[in-house]
Amino acid sequence: MTSPIPNDPSNLHHLVQQFPQPGRLESIILRPERRAPTVQVDSVQVLMNRGLEGDRASARKPSAAGGGGKRQITLIQAEHLPVIAAFMGMHQVDPTLLRRNLVVSGLNLLAARALFKNEPMVLCIGEEVVLEITGPCEPCSRMEALLGPGGYNAMRGHGGMNARVIAEGVMRVGDFIICRAEHGRI
């Protein structure tokens, strides 16, 4: 039996690497402390194995095994905000209430998660930053207080994704986001 041709458009391994357009970083949101109000910034230093400088997640010590945790940075789709608002019976939802670090548009974050363990996918943001999507960012009970009754369920399936830092640097609102396979790293 022959193996599939790598660039064959009918090959699932090829299809998961094809994105119609780059995404865009719409907003950067820091959570300085647990339950403290969030802060929007225009740019931020991304710290290897830690997260965003000034965010409470980056204050945690990286594990001794290296690589840090799977929830160093949280992301949410800008396109999901109107869906959450509709479920809540609202005209719009302020993304700072949702307490996700990055709001991105134009790129399907769910598709940016590796489908095959031996073919990791990464998000390249701007010129320096590289993130790996590690899994869904489930909503917490706090959404009930911030959005109102039903806020938790309104966000289920739309809560965004968690990521870890693969390469540090500075990211800025307006940066392009490219998703690509990270060959040679498992």
Side-chain angles (χ1 to χ4, degrees):
M1 178 178 214
T2 60
S3 62
I5 301 167
N7 290 327
D8 176 2
S10 65
N11 179 343
L12 189 56
H13 293 265
H14 175 74
L15 292 175
V16 298
Q17 296 179 35
Q18 301 303 307
F19 288 82
Q21 64 184 4
R24 182 178 188 279
L25 181 56
E26 298 293 339
S27 186
I28 302 169
I29 301 166
L30 303 177
R31 305 158 303 176
E33 296 178 29
R34 184 174 167 83
R35 299 197 177 269
T38 58
V39 177
Q40 272 189 287
V41 296
D42 293 328
S43 66
V44 68
Q45 177 69 41
V46 180
L47 306 170
M48 187 68 176
N49 298 325
R50 308 266 307 266
L52 306 179
E53 187 172 57
D55 188 73
R56 71 185 188 92
S58 70
R60 292 184 218 128
K61 299 275 186 204
S63 66
K70 293 183 177 184
R71 190 181 168 133
Q72 296 169 15
I73 297 177
T74 57
L75 303 92
I76 193 164
Q77 264 324 135
E79 292 83 355
H80 286 202
L81 298 177
V83 174
I84 296 166
F87 288 151
M88 290 303 301
M90 304 164 85
H91 292 291
Q92 63 183 16
V93 171
D94 179 355
T96 62
L97 291 177
L98 306 180
R99 304 185 68 77
R100 301 306 187 254
N101 295 125
L102 308 178
V103 179
V104 304
S105 65
L107 183 80
N108 184 352
L109 288 175
L110 294 172
R113 185 176 183 194
L115 192 56
F116 304 104
K117 290 194 183 294
N118 64 339
E119 296 176 13
M121 302 289 288
V122 295
L123 295 177
C124 302
I125 304 176
E127 299 293 321
E128 304 170 314
V129 177
V130 181
L131 305 178
E132 180 183 18
I133 300 293
T134 59
C137 184
E138 301 295 345
C140 67
S141 61
R142 186 124 192 261
M143 294 301 106
E144 291 289 307
L146 296 172
L147 296 175
Y152 174 82
N153 278 330
M155 282 196 62
R156 285 180 65 198
H158 303 284
M161 301 298 278
N162 294 315
R164 66 186 189 96
V165 179
I166 302 298
E168 65 184 12
V170 175
M171 71 171 69
R172 295 167 183 80
V173 169
D175 278 349
F176 282 102
I177 304 172
I178 306 286
C179 187
R180 65 174 169 78
E182 182 76 351
H183 298 289
R185 188 184 61 79
I186 297 178

